[in-house]
Amino acid sequence: MIRLRAGSATDVGLVRNNNQDSLLVADPLFAVADGMGGAAAGEVASTTAIESLESAFDAAGHATPETLIEAARSANRAVWEQAESNPEMRGMGTTLVAVAMLEDGRLGAINIGDSRLYVLREGSLRQITSDHNLVAELVAEGRISKEEAEVHPRRNIMTRALGVDPDVPVDLFVEDPVAGDRFLLCSDGLPRELRDDHIASLLNRLADPGEAAKELVEEAKRRGGNDNITVVVVDVEDPEKETAAVAVTPAPPPEPSGRAAAAEAAVSAPLPQPKARIVTLRVAAFFVLLLAIIAAAAVGIGWYARSGYYVGLRGDKITIFQGQPGGVLWLHPTIADATHTTTSDVLPHQVPRLRAGQTEPSLEAARQFISRLVAEAQAARAAAAPPPAAPPPAPTTTTQPAPPITAPPST
Ligand code: MN
């Protein structure tokens, strides 16, 4: 014969203004809910979910997997109806994870959302529930790694929540409990700060469930406390074998019975889940749209980057470029016409303008611009040259006697 002993702790954390998590410790039923919604709506959602779960489970009169699922569905309905009838609570929702001792001696668990149920068995920690959020699904599909998931910008997007639709698919898990097992229910504020091995070592170190719950919450706060943190620790005990075990050191649970083959029947019996798919499709549609926008932007930027011409410099060579001066992002301008004109063919005060890049609407306009600069320089030189023609061409500049100039026929 086994019995359960539980401890719990909850905290607003260090960043949020209010605690929207709720918890339930009512042997044989234990639960954690993490509400979301503006103002007080998140708290209302999680409290309502927990209260309706408990009353529906009690009212059922039997503790079976079916009554547990039904209790979760009626909790969903209760939150949904409240959101429907109160405009200021529209859109509120909550996660719900719960575990209950069933009448056949097994433990049943249900889950909706991204709160979690773990079991610590013989010292090692295993997550029983799957998170109903986008990155967990990407990990499950092998699209991203667990490490990438931890820092993924969209790790908060849930794909299933309680109270946002009139009905919700409920994940069910059934476990054969073994004395020494320790079940952990928590809101995402805990795994957000602590890795699984960290959680495991704390659970292994602290024998008392209340102390363990409190320490987990404190440690999550020390590591950032970015969200509300709620923890319920449920220990499975065998009173007959207890006396010896408890008196000894609070080390990793001793395993008195050699029940190696304690049929680890973590049977997941997911019900038909049309709603989850719809939500997932919505998320997929969102990403398709997002990709389309990004692609359109890329095409637009590419077009802009390639549009127009400008006259600039490569070294001292005056060159016509296609594109935008300086380039756009990684798109560099390309050479449209490498003329033979150099900075010495134009007036010195025009050089900075060329260095900056003189934008022109077309290739032809760019060529005409260069011709004008060259003509301007030639006119200036002609004016400066002394008309009396004794020693013939005596250029005032020290450059070599101007070579036959440029592509455009100098006028
Ligand atoms: Mn949370």
Side-chain angles (χ1 to χ4, degrees):
M1 200 49 212
I2 58 169
R3 68 169 185 212
L4 304 178
R5 192 158 73 100
S8 66
T10 184
D11 196 284
V12 65
L14 301 176
V15 173
R16 300 288 166 90
N17 294 322
N18 50 353
N19 192 345
Q20 303 193 323
D21 289 356
S22 296
L23 67 86
L24 175 71
V25 174
D27 196 2
L29 180 65
F30 308 87
V32 164
D34 177 348
M36 67 209 90
E43 279 166 84
V44 171
S46 66
T47 316
T48 305
I50 294 266
E51 284 169 359
S52 340
L53 176 83
E54 187 185 13
S55 63
F57 189 65
D58 285 352
H62 285 282
T64 65
E66 291 71 31
T67 57
L68 191 54
I69 290 170
E70 274 313 310
R73 293 179 67 197
S74 76
N76 177 78
R77 224 155 25 238
V79 175
W80 184 73
E81 278 165 7
Q82 199 157 3
E84 283 296 291
S85 52
N86 291 301
E88 72 273 22
M89 293 186 182
R90 269 298 135 73
M92 74 175 174
T94 181
T95 72
L96 181 64
V97 63
V99 62
M101 178 66 91
L102 304 178
E103 55 196 23
D104 62 5
R106 296 183 299 166
L107 275 183
I110 56 94
N111 183 51
I112 297 151
D114 65 357
S115 294
R116 291 180 175 178
L117 171 66
Y118 291 89
V119 62
L120 182 82
R121 178 170 291 168
E122 294 175 0
S124 64
L125 190 70
R126 172 170 59 92
Q127 184 180 340
I128 292 173
T129 51
S130 342
D131 303 342
H132 298 138
N133 65 23
L134 186 64
V135 294
E137 288 175 6
L138 292 177
V139 171
E141 288 165 16
R143 311 243 309 263
I144 62 173
S145 70
K146 262 191 109 173
E147 291 69 33
E148 286 169 320
E150 280 167 15
V151 295
H152 198 283
R154 311 212 148 256
R155 62 182 181 279
N156 294 328
I157 294 185
M158 298 215 328
T159 48
R160 211 192 293 184
L162 186 145
V164 298
D165 281 308
D167 199 4
V168 70
V170 179
D171 282 359
L172 171 73
F173 305 86
V174 178
E175 293 273 331
D176 280 315
V178 181
D181 281 354
R182 173 169 263 190
F183 289 86
L184 166 70
L185 300 102
C186 62
S187 61
D188 65 335
L190 182 76
R192 178 170 173 167
E193 312 296 353
L194 306 185
R195 300 173 58 103
D196 285 3
D197 54 351
H198 195 162
I199 295 173
S201 79
L202 275 168
L203 288 175
N204 275 316
R205 188 156 55 79
L206 298 164
D208 180 75
E211 243 175 77
K214 205 166 153 236
E215 184 54 25
L216 282 169
V217 168
E218 286 307 311
E219 188 64 8
K221 277 173 77 180
R222 284 192 283 269
R223 298 286 167 138
N226 287 291
D227 193 3
N228 305 148
I229 310 143
T230 299
V231 169
V232 174
V233 175
V234 183
D235 285 348
V236 179
E237 297 179 342
D238 186 338
E240 282 142 42
K241 295 167 187 169
E242 211 46 36
T243 38
V246 166
V248 191
T249 54
E255 313 121 42
S257 61
R259 276 190 256 180
E264 214 172 85
V267 191
S268 164
L271 304 176
Q273 315 184 338
K275 284 282 155 39
R277 287 223 187 85
I278 288 165
V279 176
T280 312
L281 269 182
R282 244 180 252 161
V283 171
F286 168 77
F287 275 102
V288 167
L289 184 63
L290 191 67
L291 279 177
I293 291 169
I294 291 169
V299 168
I301 290 168
W303 175 84
Y304 170 73
R306 298 283 303 142
S307 69
Y309 293 86
Y310 71 96
V311 180
L313 293 178
R314 278 183 308 138
D316 65 345
K317 290 197 178 63
I318 296 174
T319 306
I320 301 173
F321 294 93
Q322 184 176 12
Q324 299 295 327
V328 176
L329 301 178
W330 61 93
L331 301 166
H332 298 292
T334 53
I335 295 169
D337 189 353
T339 69
H340 297 289
T341 319
T342 70
T343 49
S344 59
D345 300 322
V346 303
L347 293 177
H349 76 263
Q350 298 285 14
V351 173
R353 189 176 173 188
L354 291 171
R355 190 163 292 130
Q358 168 73 26
T359 308
E360 292 292 338
S362 67
L363 185 58
E364 194 44 44
R367 286 186 176 131
Q368 283 167 9
F369 171 72
I370 295 173
S371 303
R372 280 198 303 278
L373 292 189
V374 171
E376 175 190 52
Q378 284 169 347
R381 270 173 208 145
T396 48
T397 50
T398 52
T399 46
Q400 68 267 59
I405 309 172
T406 74
S410 44
T411 317

